């Protein structure tokens, strides 16, 4: 592994991308400690610590910036929520569906709409937090100061969106996922401290369970079924192409960690709405906390639904069958055309179901460890759920991108 990393550092283009990503992450962490103007960070941190619940999850995705009520307090979740809304609207609005099929120009238009919606959602969430903290008496600000705070948080969220896009374009990996990955890693020292201060049984079993969960996540994320593809001989111009055989890889979890991020973003929306209504806020604090069965059930169902939805967006069996037929390919024993599409759809459904159930099970694992296993909250958050799924998934995707860069330059890869 160290030899592979040394080879990666010797590649000038890859080295520039790594340094650029590191620079953006350093700026992100710096902005997470710059408080919004006129804010008492200690009072807000004490309030969030005493409230706990879903605010701990929101603070996790912001890398601790919410507890500081800093420039990046909203994190990248408004952009993720906007992406979810646009993808759902693409299915029901014909105009957006047509844009999606237009290639790069249509994708650029949809991305532009996503940015506009991100600004709206960021402003609404910043307004909700400002009203919540003002109603709780921990934020003393007049109308002018409130406007300044809302604008500051909105600009911070938009800046994070831009930073994520720059990482995707000029760095390594998916920028949005990398920012969430960095936010989750900031909670690792707290988890290690909680493990060290835990009881004897917790010290023994916590590392073992953690290794088992990471191994299971890697096993499912990398699991795939290879569909054999046979190509017949055919004439292309004046040349006869020789037939051959290959395979079509269908992953068990083709959606990756996107369903978990989507579910977390949607579940973070009710507290924002409830902050405008005190009675609703009391209901959220009482019945809609991450450890409650209602929250866990909704989270699990949403992860399963989003897994099927995003898999359908990523892989269209009809289009794949048409492409195979146009290039003279077929699945042995399956007729080309609609029978091939039906076969691929059936196989994909059978693969996606256990993958979605696995994602849902790992996502709710921390709360079950807290409730029945006697683990502390810091340990359980570091052990499983969204943190492990996102961290491992993003790490694997980033390694694949670096792997492709290395293979292009005839270096032996790390993933074998």
């Amino acid at each position: 592994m160290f030899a592979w990393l040394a080879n990666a550092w010797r590649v000038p283009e890859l080295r520039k991308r790594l340094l650029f990503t590191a620079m953006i992450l350093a700026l992100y962490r710096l902005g997470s400690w710059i408080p919004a103007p006129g804010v008492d960070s200690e009072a807000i941190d004490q309030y969030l610590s005493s409230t706990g619940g879903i605010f701990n999850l929101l603070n996790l995705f912001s890398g601790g910036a919410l507890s500081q009520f800093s420039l990046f307090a909203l994190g990248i979740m408004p952009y993720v929520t906007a992406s979810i809304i646009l993808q759902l609207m693409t299915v029901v609005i014909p105009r957006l569906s047509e844009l999606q099929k237009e290639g790069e120009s249509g994708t650029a238009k949809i991305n532009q709409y996503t940015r506009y919606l991100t600004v709206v959602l960021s402003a609404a969430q910043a307004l909700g937090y400002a009203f919540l903290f003002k109603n709780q008496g921990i934020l003393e600000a007049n109308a002018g100061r409130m406007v300044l705070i809302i604008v500051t948080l909105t600009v911070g969220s938009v800046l994070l969106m831009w930073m994520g896009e720059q990482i995707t374009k000029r760095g390594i990996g998916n920028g949005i996922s990398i920012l969430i990955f960095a936010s989750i890693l900031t909670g690792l020292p707290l988890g290690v401290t909680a493990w060290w201060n835990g009881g004897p049984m917790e010290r023994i079993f916590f590392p073992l369970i953690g290794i088992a969960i990471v191994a299971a996540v890697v096993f499912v994320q990398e699991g795939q079924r290879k569909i054999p593809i046979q190509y017949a001989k055919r004439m292309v111009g004046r040349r006869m192409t020789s037939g051959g055989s290959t395979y079509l890889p269908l992953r068990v979890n083709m959606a990756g960690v996107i369903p978990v991020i989507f579910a977390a973003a949607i579940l973070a929306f009710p507290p924002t709405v409830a902050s405008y209504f005190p009675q609703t806020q009391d209901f959220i604090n009482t019945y809609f906390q991450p450890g409650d069965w209602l929250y866990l059930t909704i989270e699990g169902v949403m992860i399963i639904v989003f897994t099927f939805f995003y898999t359908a967006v990523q892989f269209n069996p009809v289009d794949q069958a048409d492409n195979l037929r146009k290039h003279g390919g077929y699945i042995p024993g399956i007729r080309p055309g609609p029978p091939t599409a039906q076969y691929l759809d059936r196989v994909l459904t059978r693969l996606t179901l256990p993958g979605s159930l696995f994602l849902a099970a790992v996502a709710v694992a921390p709360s079950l460890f807290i409730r029945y296993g006697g683990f502390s909250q810091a340990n359980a958050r570091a052990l499983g759920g969204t943190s492990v799924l996102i961290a491992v998934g993003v790490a694997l995707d980033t390694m694949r991108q670096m792997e492709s860069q290395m293979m292009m330059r005839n270096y032996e890869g790390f993933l074998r």
Side-chain angles (χ1 to χ4, degrees):
M1 182 182 71
F2 293 105
W4 177 82
L5 291 175
N7 289 332
W9 186 255
R10 294 191 187 102
V11 180
E13 181 182 353
L14 195 56
R15 182 170 63 248
K16 290 180 180 178
R17 288 180 174 272
L18 290 172
L19 291 175
F20 181 81
T21 303
M23 181 188 68
I24 294 295
L25 292 179
L27 293 176
Y28 169 50
R29 293 310 305 157
L30 177 63
S32 299
W33 288 95
I34 300 177
V39 171
D40 188 354
S41 300
E42 295 183 359
I44 293 178
D45 188 18
Q46 293 177 1
Y47 170 75
L48 294 180
S49 300
S50 61
T51 304
I54 196 165
F55 287 106
N56 286 335
L57 183 62
L58 295 173
N59 196 39
L60 172 68
F61 281 109
S62 66
L66 179 59
S67 61
Q68 300 292 328
F69 211 57
S70 66
L71 177 63
F72 297 146
L74 302 181
I76 199 63
M77 299 312 288
Y79 178 79
V80 176
T81 306
S83 301
I84 299 170
I85 295 175
L86 261 297
Q87 289 193 16
L88 293 176
M89 292 175 64
T90 302
V91 180
V92 298
I93 298 180
R95 173 56 182 164
L96 292 178
S97 180
E98 294 174 0
L99 285 176
Q100 193 176 36
K101 296 177 181 178
E102 290 180 1
E104 293 184 1
S105 60
T107 303
K109 277 283 187 182
I110 294 177
N111 290 339
Q112 193 68 21
Y113 296 152
T114 304
R115 297 186 186 101
Y116 293 151
L117 185 58
T118 300
V119 176
V120 175
L121 294 179
S122 300
Q125 190 170 355
L127 182 64
Y129 282 146
F131 270 104
L132 172 63
F133 296 143
K134 186 176 179 61
N135 293 334
Q136 297 296 327
I138 56 179
L139 179 61
E140 297 181 0
N142 53 24
R145 182 60 59 84
M146 290 282 286
V147 171
L148 180 59
I149 292 174
I150 294 169
V151 171
T152 301
L153 297 185
T154 303
V155 171
S157 182
V158 174
L159 180 59
L160 271 185
M161 175 184 66
W162 177 82
M163 293 166 64
E165 292 178 349
Q166 292 303 307
I167 291 178
T168 303
K169 182 179 179 180
R170 303 172 57 185
I172 289 292
N174 181 280
I176 304 303
S177 300
I178 290 292
L179 291 177
I180 299 176
F181 174 77
S183 300
I184 291 175
L185 288 187
T186 58
L188 186 61
L190 180 62
V192 173
T193 303
W195 165 72
W196 184 255
N197 295 331
M201 297 298 294
E202 191 171 0
R203 286 191 180 184
I204 296 174
F205 287 103
F206 175 74
L208 299 178
I209 298 177
I211 294 174
I213 289 180
V214 172
V217 170
V218 174
F219 179 77
V220 174
Q221 293 288 83
E222 295 298 300
Q224 62 181 5
R225 177 174 176 178
K226 299 178 179 179
I227 306 296
I229 304 295
Q230 186 72 35
Y231 288 94
K233 293 182 179 181
R234 60 175 184 156
M235 290 292 297
V236 178
R238 297 182 179 180
R239 184 178 301 176
M240 173 69 72
T241 61
S242 60
S245 60
T246 181
Y247 63 87
L248 176 66
L250 296 181
R251 296 174 59 186
V252 176
N253 181 22
M254 192 170 293
V257 298
I258 298 299
V260 181
I261 298 176
F262 279 9
I266 295 297
L267 290 174
F269 190 68
T272 302
V273 178
S275 60
Y276 295 98
F277 310 99
Q279 295 181 351
T280 309
Q281 183 68 43
D282 295 337
F283 174 83
I284 292 293
N285 293 336
T286 305
Y287 300 103
F288 200 71
Q289 296 298 320
D292 297 334
W293 285 107
L294 175 62
Y295 183 95
L296 296 178
T297 303
I298 295 177
E299 182 182 19
V301 172
M302 290 183 66
I303 289 175
I304 294 173
V305 172
F306 277 127
T307 302
F308 277 94
F309 170 76
Y310 199 76
T311 301
V313 172
Q314 293 291 103
F315 186 91
N316 191 327
V318 176
D319 292 343
Q320 291 293 331
D322 289 341
N323 291 333
L324 286 176
R325 180 176 56 82
K326 292 177 181 178
H327 292 85
Y330 63 92
I331 301 175
I334 307 295
R335 297 185 63 182
T340 299
Q342 295 174 3
Y343 174 78
L344 292 176
D345 182 67
R346 183 169 63 252
V347 172
L348 189 62
T349 301
R350 292 178 178 178
L351 289 175
T352 305
L353 179 60
S356 63
L357 294 176
F358 172 80
L359 288 179
V362 176
V364 302
S367 298
L368 298 180
F369 285 133
I370 294 174
R371 188 182 293 265
Y372 300 109
F375 288 92
S376 62
Q377 290 193 10
N379 265 343
R381 294 299 174 195
L383 178 65
T386 56
S387 56
V388 169
L389 285 171
I390 295 175
V392 176
V394 173
L396 290 175
D397 290 339
T398 305
M399 293 295 290
R400 289 192 195 97
Q401 289 199 18
M402 295 182 65
E403 177 86 356
S404 63
Q405 294 281 341
M406 297 294 294
M407 294 300 292
M408 289 171 56
R409 293 162 177 82
N410 298 322
Y411 283 105
E412 183 179 2
F414 173 67
L415 299 175
R416 300 192 177 110

